Amino acid sequence: MTKYDVIGIGNAVMDVLTQSDDAFLDRMGIEKGIMQLIEQERSEFLYGEMGERHQIPGGSVANTVAGVANMGLKTAFIGKVRDDEVGREYAAKTRDGGTDFPNDPFSDAELPSSRCMIFVSPDGERSMNTYLGISSEVGPDDVPDSVCQNAKILFLEGYLYDKPKGKQAFETAARLTRAAGGMAGIALSDPFCVDRHREDFRKLVKELDYVIGNEHEWKSLYETDDLGAALETAAAESGLIVCTRSGHDVVIVRGDEEAIVPVKTVTPVDATGAGDLFAAGFLYGLATGADLATSGKMGCVAAAEVISHYGARPEKDLAALFKAEGLV
């Protein structure tokens, strides 16, 4: 019997939120409403200039795994943090949220823990400044055999391919999980990530058990503006593909089986985490033996919950929402 229903591997980034006005953004030289990568010195400066901070563990696949834990399944997240204030809090809050975090904070690391400073304006705009730090240094030595060999489903973050060590960690985790009888799949992460690693990702579509992406990522992968053609190619090459379309029907294909899942229109308070939590709901369905349509509906319910408030992690009991919708 497997110990974990769903495990993930990806960047362990602490989301650090504070309220700010446009005058502050101008004074700090922060471009409003966008996400930009910053260096260590800049991250330490902005962190020190923040007002009251609200710190929530983040990272794309980490958010997905936290969502699955919220639904009541056994989860683990493989990531890397330093033994500093941010890293210790990241590990503690992840574990307190019901997800195993097998790697203790590293005391001899050179780089600090990763963080994303998010400045929330009165109009709701979020200006994000991300310092990747130690999380992008995750490598094969950070992948615990005992976790991967006891997992039903592994979810991999495409961003890991940006560094050779991350790619090796990714491949090690997938090999261990699949050799023990589990499934391994990937999130395509974003169209620019796909552009950087197109050849590798096309290979993974053929080799892994499932792939989740949005319409822009799938079109980027096959270098076409014709989404239908991109999905047809992917479906012919992969065991299971999922395509989300931002407010439009979700397309899921497994062999000869296809599910078109309608999406209810919701006005988002904060769209951050919608894709991550869709993946959480879908993987919950996959792990519990639900059919494709039901799994897709679970993903939509989870995504709708997370965009109804600020932050990329659920605030309500998602399993209860599934029950209310007649999905379980």
Side-chain angles (χ1 to χ4, degrees):
M1 184 176 175
T2 55
K3 181 178 180 181
Y4 299 107
D5 297 293
V6 177
I7 65 171
I9 178 170
N11 285 305
V13 183
M14 182 71 87
D15 288 340
V16 188
L17 295 93
T18 193
Q19 301 288 330
S20 65
D21 56 24
D22 290 356
F24 175 87
L25 297 180
D26 290 341
R27 195 164 67 250
M28 293 294 109
I30 296 170
E31 191 170 345
K32 185 176 178 179
I34 69 162
M35 193 287 283
Q36 55 188 5
L37 294 176
I38 57 175
E39 297 301 321
Q40 181 177 347
E41 185 177 349
R42 172 74 168 164
S43 80
E44 291 172 355
F45 170 72
L46 290 179
Y47 190 74
E49 292 294 318
M50 298 182 92
E52 183 180 350
R53 304 187 195 106
H54 184 45
Q55 302 196 154
I56 308 169
S60 178
V61 163
N63 290 336
T64 296
V65 172
V68 177
N70 170 286
M71 298 165 196
L73 297 188
K74 294 289 187 182
T75 58
F77 177 66
I78 300 165
K80 196 164 188 173
V81 297
R82 183 180 175 180
D83 188 9
D84 53 21
E85 180 187 351
V86 168
R88 289 190 293 272
E89 185 173 348
Y90 190 99
K93 284 187 171 178
T94 298
R95 291 163 178 161
D96 289 346
T99 291
D100 282 358
F101 190 71
N103 294 328
D104 289 328
F106 288 80
S107 56
D108 58 350
E110 291 182 16
L111 295 174
S113 296
S114 310
R115 51 195 158 182
C116 177
M117 276 68 71
I118 304 170
F119 298 89
V120 184
S121 303
D123 61 4
E125 282 277 12
R126 293 157 59 98
S127 306
M128 306 168 75
N129 299 262
T130 303
Y131 169 62
L132 287 177
I134 193 175
S135 75
S136 63
E137 295 297 312
V138 67
D141 292 342
D142 303 314
V143 177
D145 291 16
S146 60
V147 173
C148 296
Q149 291 170 343
N150 283 285
K152 188 181 291 185
I153 297 174
L154 167 67
F155 193 38
L156 302 151
E157 188 170 297
Y159 288 124
L160 287 184
Y161 261 67
D162 281 336
K163 288 200 172 182
K165 281 198 297 187
K167 180 178 178 179
Q168 291 164 14
F170 182 114
E171 292 170 347
T172 299
R175 176 175 48 78
L176 290 168
T177 301
R178 298 181 85 202
M183 296 175 64
I186 181 178
L188 293 177
S189 292
D190 76 35
F192 302 107
C193 184
V194 173
D195 287 342
R196 294 192 294 272
H197 307 293
R198 184 172 289 108
E199 187 175 332
D200 279 327
F201 283 4
R202 284 189 181 179
K203 185 179 175 187
L204 290 171
V205 168
K206 297 176 182 178
E207 293 178 352
L208 294 178
D209 300 296
Y210 67 92
V211 182
I212 300 175
N214 65 34
E215 58 183 318
H216 307 294
E217 293 155 3
W218 284 114
K219 288 193 285 189
S220 172
L221 186 64
Y222 294 104
E223 298 179 277
T224 178
D225 289 328
D226 185 340
L227 178 62
L231 296 183
E232 188 175 340
T233 301
E237 296 180 343
S238 174
L240 172 59
I241 65 160
V242 182
C243 176
T244 59
R245 298 191 294 157
S246 189
H248 299 284
D249 294 352
V250 176
V251 180
I252 308 170
V253 185
R254 179 170 58 195
D256 295 331
E257 186 183 1
E258 180 180 80
I260 306 297
V261 183
V263 173
K264 295 177 183 176
T265 303
V266 177
T267 302
V269 172
D270 173 15
T272 310
D276 304 339
L277 266 293
F278 172 86
F282 179 77
L283 293 179
Y284 174 90
L286 209 58
T288 56
D291 60 37
L292 294 187
T294 301
S295 299
K297 289 173 184 174
M298 290 172 168
C300 293
V301 169
E305 191 283 335
V306 84
I307 66 174
S308 71
H309 56 77
Y310 285 111
R313 298 203 170 182
E315 294 182 350
K316 295 179 181 176
D317 181 339
L318 294 174
L321 294 182
F322 295 161
K323 189 172 183 179
E325 293 284 335
L327 300 175
V328 292

